[in-house]
Amino acid sequence: MAANRRPTLADVAREVGVSAKTVSRVLNEDGPSSPETRERVLAAVAKLGFQPNLMARNIRVGGPDTTVGLVVPDLGNPFFGTVAGAIEDVVRGRGLTLLMGSSAEDPDRERALIQTFLARRVSVLMVVPAFGADHSHLKAPRATGLPVVFLDRPGVGLSADCVVSSNRTGVHEGVSHLIARGHRRIGFIGDLPAKLYTRRERLAGYRSALDEAGLPYDRALVTGAHTQAEAAAETTALLDRPHPPTALFAANNIMALGVVRQLTRAGRKDVALVTFDDLPLAEVLEPALTVVAQDPAAIGETAARTALARLDGDRTRARTLMVPTRLVVRASSELPAPYRPSRRGAGGEQRGALTLPGVRGPA
């Protein structure tokens, strides 16, 4: 056998001096074989480093693979990493292996990745839907018993289990927290596209908090971005308005990073801030960041247990499960209102702005 070639079933058979069918019977435990033959086959497998092709076997016998397929929009987003880690912790206990791929928020790429998972007969399919994706093509696999679970956002064109955060309630609580400190003009920086499920739900929570407080909804204070750089630019645009907001709400972790970066660079010590999603270093920022914290681990665990229940025969109607958020109050939201509009002197310096202790400008 060539040194750079993977050992095959035929290589094991030659090593032992039996047929490939005999080796297959031993490895798959699907036929008679003597204890001596079994011992020799397993010894040859260990010696040669042979790995059975489980995918080929499962396709041949018509059974599912021992894998769970997970599609997320961004492998670099720590939120989805935590979700995936929780799923893996649960399914590992059932002898299942997690396979993960990124759609990059592209519906075509998502569908191609799903087809790859279906071709290898995954036991469970989990999807964080890309915006604009249609999931009606999964009706046939789901009808034959494949558990399908959507995470973070509902699917489109398919009735299936879905696990989401309490987006609307969480944002309502965060914005109400700012209103309770006297803020009346609160900017909202959400994700794009504007019709994305999480963006719509979080904006609805923002509006409901204003309505509850009897405050008007001002479209000029609502904007969107998709990257940190875009969020930073939108922060500047909001704060440069003739009647700028006294507080900002950043509607996800990427927006939060862009807003924090821009406030720090600009030396803005006069803007209160609450964000949706906790950040790894939120407690050590200057000031520490007030957040509406999701529980991505609970989302992943709930999705995995729901899928396993389906795998075990649960045939009840598809349901949407909501994981609660939690307001974590830190220093960034504690700047009180009312806000005194800044006045610029001849040299361009700001005068008369309220300050938020601990926010540092650029060195």
Side-chain angles (χ1 to χ4, degrees), residues 71-356:
V71 182
V72 299
D74 180 5
L75 289 174
N77 190 321
F79 174 84
F80 296 120
T82 304
V83 169
I87 293 171
E88 187 173 38
D89 287 344
V90 173
V91 302
R92 186 190 298 120
R94 290 287 294 271
L96 299 173
T97 301
L98 181 67
L99 301 179
M100 184 165 62
S102 170
S103 68
E105 289 285 11
D106 181 341
D108 292 334
R109 181 166 167 174
E110 176 194 288
R111 182 160 182 164
L113 188 54
I114 288 174
Q115 291 304 319
T116 298
F117 285 150
L118 294 180
R120 66 170 298 146
R121 298 177 181 266
V122 292
S123 294
V124 171
L125 179 65
M126 297 184 177
V127 182
V128 179
F131 178 75
D134 180 359
H135 303 97
S136 57
H137 65 99
L138 289 172
K139 288 182 178 179
R142 188 175 182 278
T144 60
L146 175 70
V148 177
V149 181
F150 295 114
L151 300 92
D152 192 50
R153 315 162 186 172
V156 175
L158 180 73
S159 176
D161 295 318
C162 182
V163 182
V164 298
S165 288
S166 55
N167 294 283
R168 189 177 303 208
T169 301
V171 175
H172 181 108
E173 188 177 6
V175 174
S176 295
H177 171 74
L178 291 169
I179 293 171
R181 276 145 185 77
H183 295 281
R184 296 298 178 263
R185 291 184 63 76
I186 301 169
F188 177 93
I189 303 176
D191 199 359
L192 291 177
K195 291 184 178 180
L196 189 69
Y197 167 80
T198 47
R199 157 69 180 250
R200 289 188 286 108
E201 286 293 298
R202 293 170 193 175
L203 182 60
Y206 167 83
R207 297 191 67 163
S208 70
L210 296 179
D211 288 343
E212 184 177 81
L215 298 176
Y217 172 70
D218 186 348
R219 289 180 180 273
L221 297 181
V222 175
T223 188
H226 192 58
T227 66
Q228 288 185 41
E230 291 172 0
E234 293 300 327
T235 300
T236 298
L238 282 172
L239 297 179
D240 281 348
R241 297 191 63 81
H243 300 289
T246 66
L248 296 174
F249 189 95
N252 71 15
N253 55 358
I254 303 301
M255 301 302 99
L257 291 170
V259 172
V260 169
R261 183 175 71 178
Q262 188 57 30
L263 290 178
T264 302
R265 284 181 173 178
R268 293 299 301 257
K269 303 177 182 181
D270 54 345
V271 182
L273 176 63
V274 176
T275 76
F276 198 91
D277 281 345
D278 208 351
L279 302 175
L281 298 177
E283 292 184 81
V284 300
L285 293 174
E286 290 281 349
L289 193 60
T290 294
V291 303
V292 177
Q294 296 191 87
D295 192 343
I299 291 173
E301 180 180 348
T302 301
R305 296 198 183 284
T306 299
L308 292 180
R310 296 296 188 190
L311 203 59
D312 290 338
D314 182 353
R315 295 295 180 263
T316 58
R317 294 183 64 178
R319 55 192 179 270
T320 296
L321 303 171
M322 193 167 292
V323 176
T325 55
R326 180 172 56 97
L327 179 65
V328 181
V329 178
R330 301 182 182 120
S332 71
S333 62
E334 296 304 288
L335 173 66
Y339 173 87
R340 292 181 294 169
S342 62
R343 302 187 299 272
R344 295 188 180 276
E349 71 278 7
Q350 278 194 328
R351 298 176 181 174
L354 295 177
T355 60
L356 179 58

